[in-house]
Amino acid sequence: MRKRIIVAGSGGAGLTAAIAAAKKGAEVLLLSKTSCATGSCTAYSGGMFSLASGSVTPEEHFKKVIEVGRSAGDPELVRTLSEHCEASLRTLSDWGITMKIGEGRAHVRASAPSEIMGGAGMTGELCALARAEGVKILENCAATRILSAGGRVEGLEWVDWKTGREWRSWASAVILATGGGGAIYSRTDNPYRMTGDGYAMALEAGLDLADMEYVQFYPLGWKDPAFPVWMVGLTAMDYIPVTDGKGREFLKEAILSWGLSSGKEANYFARDRCASFLARHEKDGGKIYLHIEKLADDMLSLPDLRVSLMVDLPPRRRVRPVEVSPIQHYFTGGVPIDSEGRTRLPGLYACGEVTAG
Ligand SMILES: Cc1cc2nc3c(=O)[nH]c(=O)nc-3n(C[C@H](O)[C@H](O)[C@H](O)COP(=O)(O)OP(=O)(O)OC[C@H]3O[C@@H](n4cnc5c(N)ncnc54)[C@H](O)[C@@H]3O)c2cc1C
């Protein structure tokens, strides 16, 4: 008999898990609270990954992740990530997902429909593949409760938002891939349906959550009402100044004093440090400005700047500095798993941002 598996969530984690299960012969039901291809952080993302590939060895990657995470990361899970990330991306590539893997970096931006949604090409391709593999996808249907009996998962309770009807579906395994909870913050670059449902369901099922106090705020996000509530890549400050109200490049001074050479480096290795530095500055009454008025026309085609700014900046929009401020970006804590994605509740698995580690 075919195994029945239910996946909650249609970001990169849920879609990949659903396809992998279907390819192994399981009957897969995927519930998504949003539209499958566009309503996730994966779709909204820059679509760029850091990994062990080329001359970057798994050991170097492992050490860097542990160092940047100030040893708070789970060494077993980080080791799994470092050792398997390239093979996992190559599997996606073998499945036909548009992917470019280089030296310690990979991206899926070549299929992106626009600069601002770098991962949406990939989620579109994954959705199409999931359907082709026979995954039954129900959009705008939200998982509400994990069903269990005798200490084992039995299925999932969910609601169809269109009809308002509540359903129960039964399965031998449930995979939670509901992402983070950015939308509980007033300033976030996450889609507004990211309300941490997976955390609530896991808690209700009797599981503990880990490291929920570790919430990543991206250091720069547009604050000016004429711009979207969205992150601005730290690399932008390598091209145009980020200043305080007096015109001083105080963030750059801080980054250099920490032994880092650029905003680009800080983007990889010091986001939390930059965000708390800027938050303290604001708490003391300071403002933060991004000097887009200093952008010359020919700078707008620089790839690093395009990826960092993500919005169109015609001359009429580049007349004055605009205010920026830290913005909620990513939940680091969540449902504890082992390196196979198993939670403490037999039959319940979790992957992606909903997990801790
Ligand atoms: C603006 C932005 C840029 C980013 N850029 C990068 C980057 O360049 N590189 C990088 O590595 N990371 C980046 N990240 C982080 C990364 O995108 C996310 O951590 C990752 O995509 C999470 O994937 P996921 O599949 O776990 O969750 P998501 O992609 O968020 O998907 C969660 C899914 O769960 C569904 N869902 C939620 N609740 C329920 C429910 N109750 N029932 C059913 N479905 C539910 C949602 O509809 C959604 O489909 C970025 C994030 C943002 C917001």
Side-chain angles (χ1 to χ4, degrees):
M1 210 175 98
R2 287 174 81 197
K3 284 209 160 147
R4 186 144 209 264
I5 291 178
I6 307 176
V7 180
S10 66
L15 284 165
T16 304
I19 294 165
K23 279 183 179 290
K24 285 200 181 290
E27 183 189 341
V28 186
L29 169 67
L30 184 143
L31 302 169
S32 177
K33 194 179 175 184
T34 56
S35 92
C36 183
T38 53
S40 61
C41 284
T42 309
Y44 274 42
S45 77
M48 295 173 287
F49 316 103
S50 137
L51 72 155
S53 61
S55 62
V56 181
T57 66
E59 190 56 30
E60 283 166 343
H61 187 264
F62 171 80
K63 282 192 179 140
K64 202 72 200 173
V65 174
I66 293 289
E67 180 198 323
V68 172
R70 300 188 207 179
S71 299
D74 177 326
E76 190 193 336
L77 293 179
V78 177
R79 174 106 25 224
T80 303
L81 173 76
S82 299
E83 286 177 358
H84 296 281
C85 49
E86 183 178 4
S88 300
L89 291 188
R90 293 213 181 273
T91 300
L92 291 184
S93 176
D94 292 345
W95 288 354
I97 304 305
T98 308
M99 171 90 53
K100 186 150 178 26
I101 302 176
E103 283 282 313
R105 304 264 182 271
H107 75 82
V108 294
R109 295 181 63 81
S111 59
S114 79
E115 225 115 51
I116 207 164
M117 291 183 77
M122 176 176 75
T123 44
E125 290 175 347
L126 285 171
C127 275
L129 178 60
R131 288 198 169 97
E133 292 288 343
V135 175
K136 182 174 178 187
I137 298 177
L138 299 180
E139 297 181 312
N140 299 309
C141 291
T144 48
R145 198 155 70 92
I146 295 159
L147 301 170
S148 63
R152 214 201 132 72
V153 158
E154 284 199 313
L156 208 54
E157 203 167 83
W158 52 279
V159 59
D160 180 334
W161 277 2
K162 188 156 181 278
T163 62
R165 277 192 69 180
E166 290 177 19
W167 298 86
R168 288 179 160 202
S169 297
W170 309 102
S172 53
V174 168
I175 303 175
L176 271 188
T178 45
I184 66 172
Y185 288 87
S186 58
R187 258 178 76 70
T188 180
D189 58 14
N190 289 195
Y192 72 97
R193 285 188 191 166
M194 293 301 124
T195 44
D197 302 9
Y199 307 133
M201 285 188 277
L203 275 177
E204 277 178 5
L207 295 175
D208 292 328
L209 301 179
D211 299 335
M212 293 305 285
E213 68 278 26
Y214 293 141
V215 177
Q216 184 184 110
F217 280 70
Y218 196 81
L220 304 178
W222 304 106
K223 193 172 184 185
D224 188 298
F227 287 80
V229 184
W230 202 269
M231 62 182 283
V232 176
L234 274 172
T235 305
M237 62 183 285
D238 297 336
Y239 297 88
I240 48 173
V242 170
T243 71
D244 62 12
K246 294 184 180 136
R248 187 170 153 203
E249 289 190 71
F250 70 125
L251 180 59
K252 188 182 217 164
E253 288 170 17
I255 287 173
L256 295 177
S257 76
W258 300 333
L260 297 168
S261 62
S262 63
K264 189 170 192 167
E265 214 180 339
N267 177 49
Y268 288 117
F269 307 126
R271 286 185 190 183
D272 56 342
R273 221 166 162 186
C274 290
S276 31
F277 174 78
L278 294 175
R280 271 197 301 276
H281 172 75
E282 285 190 316
K283 205 165 168 227
D284 293 341
K287 303 256 186 205
I288 311 156
Y289 292 100
L290 179 68
H291 288 262
I292 55 171
E293 82 284 6
K294 299 214 188 282
L295 273 170
D297 283 343
D298 58 350
M299 294 168 81
L300 291 172
S301 56
L302 296 171
D304 266 357
L305 255 185
R306 292 186 68 85
V307 169
S308 303
L309 298 170
M310 288 182 269
V311 295
D312 289 342
L313 289 167
R316 67 174 161 75
R317 233 179 169 188
R318 283 184 269 139
V319 288
R320 58 181 171 82
V322 292
E323 199 177 348
V324 287
S325 172
I327 188 166
Q328 192 282 337
H329 186 64
Y330 180 80
F331 267 63
T332 308
V335 182
I337 51 164
D338 67 12
S339 57
E340 302 289 328
R342 282 183 288 245
T343 71
R344 221 171 27 78
L345 181 62
L348 181 68
Y349 296 76
C351 54
E353 193 170 330
V354 74
T355 65

